[in-house]
Amino acid sequence: MKYNYLEIEKKWQKYWEDNRIFRTPDPEDLDKSKPKYYALDMFPYPSGDGLHVGHPEGFTATDILARYKRNKGFNVLHTMGWDAFGLPAEQYAIKKGIHPKIRTAECVDLFRRQLKALGFSFDWEREINTTDETYYKWTQWIFLKIFNSYYDEKENRAKPVSELKIPEGLSEKEKYDYINSQRLAYLAEVPVNWCPELGTVLSNEEVPEQIEKGFTVVRKNMKQWNLRITKYADRLLKDLDDLDWPNSVKELQRNWIGKSEGAKITFKVKMSDENKGENYSVEVYTTRPDTIFGVTYLILAPEHKLVEFITTPEKKDLVKAYVEKAGFKSDMERTELSKNKTGEFTGAFAVNPVNGKEIPVLVADYVLASYGTGAIMGVPGHDERDNEFALKAGLEIIPVVIPEKYKSEDEIKQFTERTIKGEECYSGEGISVNSGFINGLKTEDAIKKVNERIEETGAGKKAINYKLRDWLFSRQRFWGEPFPLIHLEDGTFKALDESELPVKLPDIESYNYSGTGESPLAGIDFWINTTDKETGRKAKRETNTMPQWAGSCWYYLRYLDPDNEKVFCDPAREKFWMPVDLYIGGAEHSVLHLIYARFWYKILFDLGYVSYKEPFQKLFNQGMILGEDGVKMSKSRGNVINPDDVIRNFGADSMRLFEMFMGPLEATKPWSTKGIEGLSRFLNRVWRLIVDENTGTVKSSVVFEEPDLNALKLLHKTIKKVTEDIEDNDMKFNTAISYLMVIVNEMYKMEKISRIMIEKFLVLLSPFAPHIAEELWEKLGHDKSIQFESWPEFNTEYTKEDSVTVVFQINGKVRAKKEVDYDTAEDILEDLALYNENILKQIMGKQIIKVITIKNKMVNIVVK
RNA sequence: GCCCGGGUGGCGGAACUGGUAGACGCGCAGGACUUAAAAUCCUGUUGCCUGUAAAGGCAGUAUCGGUUCGAUUCCGAUCCCGGGCACCA
């Protein structure tokens, strides 16, 4: 009987499902003395194309850990679900005129079937779908919690707005405005990234991806919902330190948050005749207060509020034209034109607070309105951007920092001359010159001194800035979570009560975009028009929907308690299972999903709904699998590998094994059909090692005998290596599999193989290739799933070597080798080396300078 | 430009804490089985040189240099590839 993977895999998949082998009982029914292990995959977006080979790579890795930990006696939670809101289903709906719900269900069915065919040990009874009403009810619920919270700066945490102190003496309207200004979810007219092709706005994070796809993105001012993630910038940054995440992801997030320390400095605007009586001043942000004596001009971003107030009448037209032109440019265009900086003089002058120098104030679009104060001080001697601009605009350059490498007067003189001419622009640290009270100080001390001074004189203070912006949270789409909000006729809005959730999506016929920048929902009168339950007033529903990231911000919590109708997740369950012990997914989610999810979890933590600071303790990114031609798989290239075909030709076990064997999990590596043949060959070898292909029963060479010493050593070394590789932080499954191959190769050389050895081997193999392991386990006479077997332990008695090959070197070059007993004493090794024939030949007549001996390793003879 | 990774046989990749470079797999070559092929099994496989052989020598982990008795591993410089960010003051 040949190894019939198709039949075997089907059989065991059915067995696992029928017998609920991978069902995880809830904590109340668990043996809590055992440790828990939560192995989580980033849940997929179920697309119509079905699974690609990249999905199973990460899923296989978590599955190996999940199965291994079950064998180890852990309570394991391993789950799967669907991140099913999103544009593709909506676009399909527009084209075919059927509800995205229907299309989504089809795609989910396809994905589920494909995943089941790979034999993953998910607890399918916990399957979730972000588009289910019973799921997004809780997404909306969490949104309400965010909406109804504010950030308490003193306690550094979110609190319910009911605890917000409202300034006294405010009118009802003022109170309403004040509260809204404090909420963690707020409506604001902001410049957004509008994508005309998609008919929606995009978050900053989504822009590069869409541009890559060929869509255009333009700046537009629109009223949008935002989440105040910036309040969490510091915690999101600090708490990264304790996470067991790849360094690159942490670094990416740190850069994204982009904390910088500097100072805000105020420059008073010198009053001209026209604006006499008004006290305008420009606040700038700089990380280099020490260069303040080198400031020769100020720049306001075109969107800066002061522009219209300080511009002198004779400059009004020019400035106005410039600001308008800048407004038409998208961020992209502004960036692309970076080499050609432009600006316009406002006619106004400002006064440098440290030396009273009068400097011109300009408008230029290389300064971003959204960062810092939207204004900068121009230090063309020591900032490359300012330098570029100053040269173009013919502005003065003053050198104020000398690099420390220049010591002699001559060098310093040459450097300052080059700087003045604009030939050199040094932006590093150094010694201050031409700088009044900080002359001669090193940058670090100069900064301190300037900060002290401006604080004393009230001209400024230390300040911290982040690149991170608030999260633009609304989309003009149909297929997303509706906001649980209504707008009243008086122009105010209010949140619905929890009891009114979920706000369901309507069933409609046409999903075309309104074209007005509103969601398709805006055209559905029966859905929009509603009444305020509390007061009975007429109201209209908010027509924006949430971005796709919303559902994925908390799905890992819903798995813990998927059917709960009372709460989003039972606190006891949350406490038991969280944090996630292993989270695997693609590196493309390093910033977006992982920052958003951390943010939501932290809000829930602040409000007391969850019990840890961070949701994902250990994170791992699986690498990309390229096509056989070494480039990214794509339909247009025709190099896409379909898992269904692979399973049909080689089986799920071979596929799992191969994807793990290709190389390190995090590496990008090409698919290879020849490669998977090798793994299929390996499983066939395993089969024939145990099964007599004529009778289909266990071979007579598999005997009820204790393994001999050599076999024991082989077995225990294999147990050790496989166990250590699975436990290893880097998840070295490729080497674990290579040891499994080695032991099989060795067992093939044995005339008789102990059943004990075979059985332990099968347990080692089972997390990687579970179907064949179950089948052989059954053939060996077991009636319980191999998943219930405990993981083999190794005995160090058998894992240590009893003899080792020691090398003899001359001047570091290997000249001879010798097999010796383990732990042979150093002096004996030395003698062995010195009297070795080959060594003797070569050191003859030479002087021995010294001999270095390392036990069990080598003897190195240094000669002259 | 900046920040992270990474460059090892024909290919995917191994190599503990500085101590035998190339595990395992693919491919290739030779052999066995077969009428033949496939499948399977066995042997060999970094390159070059000497040798009938056994064996031995030289070079070798992107390049150049350094530290060391000894470097794929540590340090410095350079080149190349991948990913991310990109006027963030």
Side-chain angles (χ1 to χ4, degrees):
Chain A
M1 200 170 86
K2 289 218 160 169
Y3 166 43
N4 185 338
Y5 52 84
L6 287 176
E7 218 168 83
I8 290 169
E9 289 174 0
K10 238 205 229 139
K11 166 182 165 186
W12 287 101
Q13 283 158 18
K14 185 169 186 310
Y15 176 87
W16 294 330
E17 189 158 338
D18 291 349
N19 294 280
R20 301 169 90 193
I21 300 294
F22 305 121
R23 202 187 96 79
T24 305
D26 290 313
E28 326 48 296
D29 305 319
L30 279 172
D31 176 358
K32 288 217 189 85
S33 65
K34 291 181 179 174
K36 66 97 185 178
Y37 193 83
Y38 186 1
L40 180 70
D41 292 292
M42 289 187 188
F43 67 160
Y45 174 79
S47 75
D49 298 331
L51 227 51
H52 61 76
V53 287
H55 283 120
E57 193 192 9
F59 298 164
T60 303
T62 47
D63 198 56
I64 288 166
L65 260 306
R67 288 174 179 271
Y68 164 77
K69 292 284 181 183
R70 284 193 203 100
N71 288 126
K72 275 277 196 183
F74 282 63
N75 291 312
V76 171
L77 185 65
H78 191 212
T79 48
M80 184 46 62
W82 320 107
D83 189 14
F85 275 127
L87 207 53
E90 187 166 342
Q91 280 170 332
Y92 189 86
I94 293 166
K95 231 191 284 168
K96 308 265 171 157
I98 52 168
H99 201 290
K101 205 193 278 179
I102 297 163
R103 173 62 173 172
T104 300
E106 285 170 12
C107 295
V108 164
D109 287 343
L110 172 63
F111 263 63
R112 195 192 298 104
R113 175 185 68 69
Q114 288 188 307
L115 287 176
K116 285 195 172 175
L118 280 156
F120 296 126
S121 63
F122 298 124
D123 177 356
W124 284 105
E125 292 172 42
R126 291 173 183 269
E127 177 183 343
I128 56 163
N129 183 329
T130 54
T131 66
D132 283 346
E133 286 163 7
T134 53
Y135 182 92
Y136 72 68
K137 169 185 175 178
W138 295 108
T139 310
Q140 292 171 339
W141 182 87
I142 296 171
F143 175 82
L144 282 184
K145 291 292 154 198
I146 296 171
F147 179 83
N148 286 320
S149 299
Y150 74 102
Y151 204 81
D152 186 313
E153 304 281 354
K154 277 203 195 96
E155 291 183 35
N156 205 20
R157 67 181 186 92
K159 283 183 169 180
V161 283
S162 56
E163 294 174 33
L164 178 64
K165 274 214 189 75
I166 296 164
E168 279 178 47
L170 294 185
S171 70
E172 275 308 304
K173 171 79 171 91
E174 284 167 334
K175 244 163 100 178
Y176 166 84
D177 287 340
Y178 179 76
I179 293 171
N180 284 338
S181 74
Q182 298 298 306
R183 295 181 189 276
L184 290 184
Y186 64 97
L187 196 56
E189 171 99 18
V190 286
V192 296
N193 309 295
W194 171 256
C195 177
E197 290 93 336
L198 295 176
T200 182
V201 301
L202 301 169
S203 70
N204 290 325
E205 290 84 344
E206 290 169 310
V207 172
E209 191 190 326
Q210 300 303 334
I211 284 176
E212 206 173 286
K213 286 186 188 161
F215 294 129
T216 47
V217 176
V218 294
R219 280 263 125 165
K220 203 170 166 181
N221 276 328
M222 284 176 83
K223 257 204 167 159
Q224 296 290 323
W225 286 99
N226 294 271
L227 300 190
R228 237 180 267 280
I229 191 171
T230 48
K231 293 283 180 198
Y232 284 81
D234 214 42
R235 285 165 65 187
L236 288 168
L237 181 68
K238 247 191 247 143
D239 292 343
L240 278 174
D241 295 345
D242 301 324
L243 297 177
D244 182 10
W245 284 21
N247 206 34
S248 59
V249 178
K250 287 193 189 184
E251 212 45 44
L252 236 50
Q253 293 213 353
R254 286 190 189 113
N255 291 341
W256 191 264
I257 295 166
K259 181 177 183 169
S260 84
E261 290 178 49
K264 282 184 180 170
I265 305 176
T266 304
F267 288 68
K268 287 213 165 78
V269 176
K270 192 161 177 273
M271 296 304 127
S272 63
D273 293 341
E274 287 76 22
N275 58 22
K276 210 180 287 169
E278 303 261 16
N279 269 320
Y280 293 117
S281 58
V282 177
E283 192 181 43
V284 302
Y285 174 74
T286 177
T287 54
R288 292 293 298 272
D290 63 306
T291 61
I292 190 161
F293 287 91
V295 176
T296 56
Y297 57 94
L298 296 187
I299 298 199
L300 304 180
E303 298 86 351
H304 199 286
K305 277 188 236 105
L306 274 184
V307 173
E308 62 171 307
F309 298 113
I310 64 166
T311 303
T312 57
E314 57 271 25
K315 295 285 178 191
K316 260 225 150 103
D317 291 345
L318 281 172
V319 170
K320 202 177 159 206
Y322 181 80
V323 170
E324 269 176 16
K325 220 172 105 201
F328 282 126
K329 293 187 203 170
S330 68
D331 264 13
M332 268 309 272
E333 284 172 305
R334 280 202 196 179
T335 309
E336 269 163 25
L337 297 170
S338 67
K339 288 203 178 69
N340 195 13
K341 291 195 169 54
T342 56
E344 202 63 58
F345 179 38
T346 62
F349 288 85
V351 180
N352 189 324
V354 293
N355 60 6
K357 191 180 155 105
E358 285 184 20
I359 49 177
V361 182
L362 297 92
V363 185
D365 67 3
Y366 82 89
V367 174
L368 303 175
S370 51
Y371 182 77
T373 60
I376 60 149
M377 56 184 211
V379 186
H382 303 283
D383 181 286
E384 269 162 47
R385 297 152 298 182
D386 295 343
N387 184 268
E388 223 174 273
F389 181 70
L391 288 176
K392 211 146 266 168
L395 293 154
E396 187 192 6
I397 301 173
I398 306 173
V400 289
V401 181
I402 307 289
E404 283 189 75
K405 65 177 174 186
Y406 296 130
K407 300 275 190 248
S408 75
E409 245 170 71
D410 201 42
E411 283 174 326
I412 293 172
K413 201 179 145 206
Q414 280 180 22
F415 170 79
T416 51
E417 272 168 17
R418 284 200 307 274
T419 303
I420 290 166
K421 278 190 247 162
E423 290 166 8
E424 179 155 2
C425 173
Y426 175 73
S427 57
E429 306 201 338
I431 307 291
S432 290
V433 293
N434 300 326
S435 292
F437 64 92
I438 53 168
N439 274 336
L441 292 183
K442 284 191 182 179
T443 298
E444 198 190 324
D445 301 322
I447 289 175
K448 246 183 235 160
K449 197 96 180 239
V450 171
N451 285 348
E452 280 166 24
R453 176 67 61 95
I454 57 173
E455 199 134 353
E456 278 165 28
T457 61
K461 59 169 189 279
K462 277 209 305 203
I464 287 170
N465 249 306
Y466 298 93
K467 280 203 270 186
L468 185 74
R469 309 290 153 82
D470 275 341
W471 177 10
L472 183 82
F473 194 67
S474 40
R475 299 292 182 276
Q476 291 68 48
R477 291 180 183 166
F478 173 81
W479 195 228
E481 300 88 346
F483 283 80
L485 297 167
I486 51 170
H487 297 268
L488 298 160
E489 284 183 320
D490 62 2
T492 62
F493 56 81
K494 68 184 281 186
L496 298 178
D497 188 76
E498 285 174 25
S499 63
E500 294 178 70
L501 301 182
V503 178
K504 295 180 189 173
L505 285 166
D507 291 327
I508 53 170
E509 316 256 297
S510 168
Y511 302 89
N512 279 311
Y513 298 114
S514 62
T516 59
E518 284 181 291
S519 150
L521 287 169
I524 308 167
D525 290 342
F526 76 85
W527 186 82
I528 298 180
N529 293 312
T530 182
T531 49
D532 177 11
K533 280 258 165 66
E534 205 179 0
T535 62
R537 288 187 295 172
K538 273 193 189 168
K540 284 187 191 298
R541 292 192 189 283
E542 166 70 45
T543 59
N544 284 310
T545 51
M546 299 185 199
Q548 201 185 347
W549 310 106
S552 59
C553 274
W554 71 284
Y555 75 107
Y556 49 91
L557 292 167
R558 191 60 179 171
Y559 284 137
L560 314 184
D561 200 1
D563 303 317
N564 200 323
E565 290 174 9
K566 304 240 163 57
V567 291
F568 73 102
C569 174
D570 176 71
R573 295 187 187 190
E574 193 275 337
K575 201 164 169 46
F576 181 79
W577 286 113
M578 290 296 285
V580 172
D581 296 277
L582 174 66
Y583 193 24
I584 296 188
E588 65 274 18
H589 295 116
S590 297
V591 201
L592 314 174
H593 160 60
L594 287 170
I595 255 185
Y596 296 150
R598 291 177 64 214
F599 168 49
W600 275 38
Y601 193 77
K602 282 182 185 302
I603 297 176
L604 292 172
F605 173 78
D606 285 354
L607 299 176
Y609 294 106
V610 297
S611 32
Y612 306 92
K613 278 203 306 198
E614 287 283 337
F616 314 121
Q617 186 49 41
K618 180 177 167 65
L619 173 75
F620 202 93
N621 296 128
Q622 90 267 16
M624 214 192 333
I625 296 183
L626 305 173
E628 206 141 9
D629 49 2
V631 292
K632 205 169 163 172
M633 284 191 197
S634 71
K635 271 193 209 158
S636 56
R637 277 182 200 276
N639 61 352
V640 175
I641 302 288
N642 183 340
D644 288 341
D645 297 337
V646 178
I647 291 172
R648 195 175 329 108
N649 296 329
F650 303 100
D653 281 339
S654 291
M655 174 153 180
R656 293 168 57 114
L657 222 37
F658 175 60
E659 290 210 357
M660 294 302 99
F661 186 70
M662 290 166 86
L665 193 60
E666 74 277 15
T668 302
K669 54 235 154 187
W671 184 264
S672 159
T673 301
K674 284 287 175 196
I676 192 169
E677 280 173 18
L679 276 297
S680 163
R681 207 170 293 159
F682 166 66
L683 289 181
N684 272 291
R685 273 167 72 76
V686 171
W687 181 264
R688 290 194 309 268
L689 183 70
I690 299 167
V691 178
D692 183 326
E693 294 202 283
N694 295 318
T695 63
T697 54
V698 177
K699 270 182 163 175
S700 56
S701 52
V702 177
V703 295
F704 285 96
E705 277 174 30
E706 289 290 321
D708 63 24
L709 188 61
N710 276 335
L712 270 180
K713 282 186 174 166
L714 174 65
L715 175 65
H716 284 253
K717 273 180 208 165
T718 308
I719 296 171
K720 180 167 190 273
K721 285 174 167 169
V722 172
T723 309
E724 285 173 354
D725 281 355
I726 294 178
E727 292 273 0
D728 189 282
N729 253 354
D730 291 332
M731 305 211 261
K732 295 152 76 171
F733 300 133
N734 53 337
T735 50
I737 292 167
S738 80
Y739 299 129
L740 293 173
M741 290 171 168
V742 171
I743 195 176
V744 169
N745 291 343
E746 292 300 318
M747 286 192 289
Y748 258 88
K749 293 178 191 158
M750 298 175 181
E751 272 171 39
K752 286 188 294 181
I753 310 164
S754 159
R755 250 186 128 86
I756 296 167
M757 184 159 178
I758 287 284
E759 291 188 352
K760 300 229 156 143
F761 163 76
L762 285 177
V763 179
L764 296 183
L765 178 69
S766 67
F768 301 91
H771 308 87
I772 191 174
E774 290 275 27
E775 181 70 15
L776 294 171
W777 188 249
E778 188 187 53
K779 279 200 184 293
L780 287 167
H782 298 279
D783 54 6
K784 261 169 73 188
S785 166
I786 198 166
Q787 180 67 91
F788 298 117
E789 197 60 15
S790 57
W791 191 256
E793 299 283 334
F794 61 87
N795 186 337
T796 48
E797 191 65 23
Y798 300 120
T799 55
K800 66 169 194 237
E801 308 284 343
D802 41 21
S803 73
V804 283
T805 306
V806 166
V807 298
F808 302 146
Q809 303 178 334
I810 296 175
N811 292 342
K813 282 188 177 159
V814 179
R815 295 298 168 191
K817 297 175 186 184
K818 175 126 184 106
E819 182 100 353
V820 299
D821 287 346
Y822 192 78
D823 272 352
T824 299
E826 271 134 354
D827 51 335
I828 297 172
L829 289 178
E830 207 172 307
D831 285 349
L832 284 170
L834 289 169
Y835 292 102
N836 179 285
E837 214 182 316
N838 215 20
I839 298 290
L840 271 176
K841 236 191 297 181
Q842 301 204 35
I843 59 174
M844 199 93 78
K846 289 181 180 148
Q847 189 193 346
I848 296 174
I849 299 183
K850 75 171 149 175
V851 178
I852 295 133
T853 307
I854 311 280
K855 217 194 241 180
N856 300 325
K857 289 269 158 76
M858 39 82 49
V859 179
N860 187 13
I861 302 160
V862 185
V863 297
K864 204 160 67 176

